[in-house]
């Protein structure tokens, strides 16, 4: 797995084969991570805008990780 981008205590972005995986740090009292595979549209945002293209996705995951549980990998 290759690290593509990172923002400490925020997110890590990895490439694993053809997949791009986003790991977001979540929680308040208890800290945990959730990892999702980017959709083609999310991947296009990353490729076009870099980390700025993923900022709204990172925030959405952090605000409501349960909404992304169905997409969770690892």
């Amino acid at each position: 797995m290759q690290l593509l981008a990172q923002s400490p205590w925020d997110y890590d972005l990895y490439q694993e084969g053809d997949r791009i995986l986003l790991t977001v740090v979540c929680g308040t009292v208890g800290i945990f991570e959730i990892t999702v595979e980017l959709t083609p549209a999310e991947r296009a945002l990353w490729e076009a805008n870099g980390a700025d293209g993923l900022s709204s996705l990172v925030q959405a995951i952090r605000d409501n990780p349960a909404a992304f549980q169905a997409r969770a990998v690892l």
Side-chain angles (χ1 to χ4, degrees), residues 7-11 25 31 62:
S7 178
W9 291 100
D10 193 14
Y11 70 87
V25 178
I31 303 297
R62 183 172 292 113

Side-chain angles (χ1 to χ4, degrees), residues 22 24 26 34 36 56-66 68:
L22 177 65
V24 178
C26 301
I34 184 168
V36 298
S56 63
L57 176 60
V58 169
Q59 192 60 49
I61 293 170
R62 183 172 292 113
D63 288 346
N64 190 2
F68 291 86

